[in-house]
């Protein structure tokens, strides 16, 4: 019921128009949920979800709206929490370098902010603690972490990421790239000079 249309071209046109409207209004927007949830067996808000499509199949349908949104200048892309066959259904897309770096950055050429979906969602918490998921998401290529849960989860995620940077598990260069993207978008939207 949350899907706009089954027609990838129709969704791509909608994505393009929507991004353009948000940019005209100077409002941040994020295309969600890469690499696509249209074929998910359930909502990631209900628990671990699987999408049985390989990357080649996703390229033919689910990725077309993301390409349109990126082409229209979307400043953010939200990474899905679903499990996909290209990671043997073991690593959520939001924690996967295959999605967050190889697909989003290298293949689609996206230079904006990669956001996770909510790390407090059951699709993540059934498999990881919020702090562990936060570290894995940043390592994979996420720039911003969305955590709607209790303040304690947010603080624990902050501490876990900080410790991972200090220990070298997350490189300083990876963190600098994330911060640089966030500052660039803030500058583009006039939030900083």
């Amino acid at each position: 019921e949350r899907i706009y249309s089954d027609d990838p071209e129709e969704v791509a046109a909608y994505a393009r128009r929507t991004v353009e409207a948000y940019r005209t209004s100077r409002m941040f927007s994020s295309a969600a949920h890469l690499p696509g949830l249209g074929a998910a067996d359930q909502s990631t808000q209900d628990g671990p979800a699987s999408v049985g499509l390989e990357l080649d199949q996703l390229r033919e349908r689910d990725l077309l709206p993301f390409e349109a949104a990126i082409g229209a200048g979307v400043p953010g892309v939200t990474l899905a929490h679903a499990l996909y066959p290209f990671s043997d259904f073991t690593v959520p897309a939001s924690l996967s370098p295959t999605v967050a770096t190889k697909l989003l950055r290298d293949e689609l050429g996206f230079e904006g902010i990669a956001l996770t979906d909510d790390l407090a969602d059951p699709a993540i918490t059934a498999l990881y603690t919020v702090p562990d998921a936060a570290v894995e998401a940043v390592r994979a290529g996420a720039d911003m972490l969305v955590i709607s849960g209790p303040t304690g989860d947010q603080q624990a995620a902050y501490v876990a990421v900080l410790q991972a940077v200090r220990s070298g598990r997350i490189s300083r260069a990876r963190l600098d790239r994330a911060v640089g993207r966030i500052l660039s978008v803030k500058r583009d939207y006039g939030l900083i000079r």
Side-chain angles (χ1 to χ4, degrees):
E1 67 272 2
R2 294 176 61 193
I3 296 173
Y4 180 75
S5 170
D6 288 334
D7 180 354
E9 294 297 334
E10 186 177 333
V11 178
Y14 176 76
R16 196 171 15 263
R17 288 189 307 270
T18 302
V19 169
E20 290 167 355
Y22 274 98
R23 287 197 69 80
T24 299
S25 298
R26 307 287 300 150
M27 292 179 64
F28 181 88
S29 62
S30 183
H33 296 86
L34 187 80
L37 288 177
D41 59 357
Q42 72 172 350
S43 170
T44 57
Q45 295 173 344
D46 296 331
S50 297
V51 174
L53 302 176
E54 294 288 350
L55 271 174
D56 286 343
Q57 294 170 302
L58 290 166
R59 284 183 185 98
E60 292 175 7
R61 44 175 271 157
D62 292 45
L63 292 180
L64 296 179
F66 290 100
E67 291 171 347
I70 291 167
V74 73
V77 170
T78 302
L79 305 169
H81 286 330
L83 303 166
Y84 296 82
F86 54 80
S87 62
D88 297 324
F89 297 104
T90 59
V91 178
S94 56
L95 312 184
S96 168
T98 299
V99 174
T101 300
K102 291 179 184 171
L103 179 61
L104 182 60
R105 304 291 181 196
D106 300 341
E107 184 174 328
L108 298 177
F110 182 65
E111 296 178 6
I113 299 172
L115 302 94
T116 65
D117 200 357
D118 187 357
L119 293 177
D121 277 352
I124 294 296
T125 59
L127 306 169
Y128 298 84
T129 65
V130 171
D132 288 343
V135 169
E136 291 307 312
V138 173
R139 289 183 68 210
D143 302 312
M144 292 183 73
L145 307 172
V146 176
I147 303 169
S148 71
T151 304
D153 281 349
Q154 297 164 5
Q155 291 169 338
Y158 169 79
V159 169
V161 170
L162 182 62
Q163 288 175 343
V165 171
R166 287 181 175 159
S167 72
R169 192 158 175 236
I170 295 174
S171 73
R172 180 65 186 249
R174 165 83 270 280
L175 188 63
D176 288 347
R177 283 191 301 276
V179 171
R181 289 184 185 117
I182 294 165
L183 292 175
S184 179
V185 169
K186 284 184 174 188
R187 192 174 307 111
D188 184 41
Y189 278 79
L191 299 173
I192 59 173
R193 291 179 183 234

